[in-house]
């Protein structure tokens, strides 16, 4: 329901599919002007490059900057975003779950200056 609501508000939904069998292995939601609400990859597709491909697609659409929040208790995701050039910009709380989050920002430095 959440992803449908995002789509109805105009968010881009980008999906990744397995080259081996064509099944969907992940998706990312991109809200304009540059916010990632969800990036999800099936556990059996971790390490396949799907998350990086989804993130690169959103970076291309973003206009040069992105924001997102990630649960503080998800070190795998934290490492992924930091490896992909995101910088920690603050902390918050997930409105749905109440969990503590880190706010991250990414800026395409080739477009700055």
């Amino acid at each position: 329901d959440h992803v449908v609501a995002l789509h109805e508000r105009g968010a881009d939904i980008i999906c990744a599919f397995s080259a081996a069998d064509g099944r969907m292995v992940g998706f990312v939601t991109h809200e304009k002007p540059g916010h990632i609400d969800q990036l999800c990859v099936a556990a059996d597709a971790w390490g396949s490059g799907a998350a990086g491909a989804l993130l690169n697609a959103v970076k291309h659409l973003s206009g040069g900057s992105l924001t997102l929040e990630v649960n503080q208790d998800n070190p795998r995701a934290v490492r992924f975003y930091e490896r992909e050039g995101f910088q920690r910009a603050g902390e918050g709380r997930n409105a749905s779950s109440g969990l503590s989050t880190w706010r991250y920002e990414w800026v395409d430095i080739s477009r700055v200056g």
Side-chain angles (χ1 to χ4, degrees):
D1 292 339
H2 180 70
V3 174
V4 171
L6 289 171
H7 180 66
E8 289 173 350
R9 291 194 315 252
D12 298 307
I13 313 288
I14 302 166
C15 299
F17 296 88
S18 166
D21 60 14
R23 70 185 171 87
M24 190 173 91
V25 295
F27 70 91
V28 63
T29 64
H30 171 245
E31 296 178 278
K32 294 163 186 77
H35 180 74
I36 295 173
D37 184 77
Q38 301 277 313
L39 192 156
C40 301
V41 173
D44 66 344
W46 290 355
S48 70
L54 289 166
L55 191 55
N56 286 335
V58 172
K59 285 179 174 179
H60 180 74
L61 292 174
S62 72
S65 66
L66 289 167
T67 61
L68 59 84
E69 291 200 28
V70 62
N71 290 340
Q72 290 182 13
D73 66 355
N74 188 345
R76 182 181 178 89
V78 167
R79 284 190 309 273
F80 170 74
Y81 291 119
E82 289 178 354
R83 187 174 60 247
E84 293 295 325
F86 283 78
Q87 300 293 314
R88 191 176 299 171
E91 59 184 301
R93 188 157 306 279
N94 183 304
S96 298
S97 68
L99 295 173
S100 296
T101 61
W102 295 118
R103 187 174 60 254
Y104 277 88
E105 296 176 348
W106 170 83
V107 176
D108 182 350
I109 58 172
S110 71
R111 296 185 188 197
V112 176

